[in-house]
Amino acid sequence: MLIRRETFADVDAIRAVHCAAFAAPDGGDGVPVEATLVDALRADEGWLPAYSLVATDSDGRVVGHVVATRGRVGGQPVALGLGPVGVLPDWQRRGVGSALMHAVLGAADARDEALVVLLGHADYYPRFGFRPAVELGVTPPQPWAPQYFQARPLHAWRESIRGEFRYARPFDDL
């Protein structure tokens, strides 16, 4: 497996990853919101190409994707909003999601980002250093339970980063 930045040629494969990863359990044929969200994020001013990463198999086929876009805390562009993270079902539970998470967090830290925020599973994301964002003084844009609204401070984080978090605009349309 190789982790690399998304290219234009990956767009359809990324959409297919999110469609498969977030498909309705009953086999419904609707397009999952995660697939359309990634497309909308690409067109938004919060899009940061350095944080759209794919995992590929030995044949170069895209098997996973993660993206982080510009977020704001207290109105300041000092954070990233992470998500979605998707992995093809046949590749799940094989370390692809973890590799993508480590890669995007490493890229963010190397580029002096201060904070990464996400809405996610309370038992999965703490292994990557995420904790309830309210512990850092960062509040959710909606009344989400604190165990799901999580943040990961990076080396550039400072205690003055406090306030309400806002994702890139396409998240508001969900």
Side-chain angles (χ1 to χ4, degrees):
M1 173 178 50
L2 172 73
I3 306 290
R4 63 170 173 74
R5 282 179 58 172
E6 166 188 330
T7 67
F8 179 75
D10 298 322
V11 170
D12 290 339
I14 289 168
R15 189 176 305 109
V17 163
H18 291 295
C19 283
F22 296 101
D26 63 1
D29 58 352
V31 176
V33 66
E34 292 83 0
T36 57
L37 175 60
V38 173
D39 292 336
L41 288 170
R42 272 193 204 94
D44 188 74
E45 66 182 319
W47 181 254
L48 301 168
Y51 304 124
S52 182
L53 306 176
V54 295
T56 62
D57 66 10
S58 59
D59 295 325
R61 182 176 72 120
V62 174
V63 298
H65 175 252
V66 65
V67 64
T69 50
R70 178 58 59 212
R72 296 178 173 277
V73 176
Q76 300 300 307
V78 294
L80 297 176
L82 193 141
V85 180
V87 177
L88 289 176
D90 288 348
W91 283 81
Q92 292 175 3
R93 293 172 192 74
R94 294 172 60 182
V96 176
S98 291
L100 286 165
M101 287 297 297
H102 287 297
V104 76
L105 291 171
D109 203 26
R111 295 174 62 94
D112 291 324
E113 297 289 351
L115 188 69
V116 179
V117 176
L118 60 77
L119 183 64
H121 199 281
D123 294 330
Y124 182 75
Y125 291 101
R127 73 182 73 178
F128 304 106
F130 284 87
R131 61 186 193 218
V134 294
E135 292 178 6
L136 298 169
V138 177
T139 58
Q142 297 182 30
W144 296 320
Q147 69 268 31
Y148 302 114
F149 183 67
Q150 302 171 54
R152 166 72 153 77
L154 302 174
H155 284 97
W157 182 78
R158 39 195 200 286
E159 284 198 35
S160 62
I161 298 173
R162 299 173 116 23
E164 183 182 68
F165 178 78
R166 298 299 301 182
Y167 280 101
R169 191 156 305 170
F171 282 93
D172 294 337
D173 298 330
L174 299 179

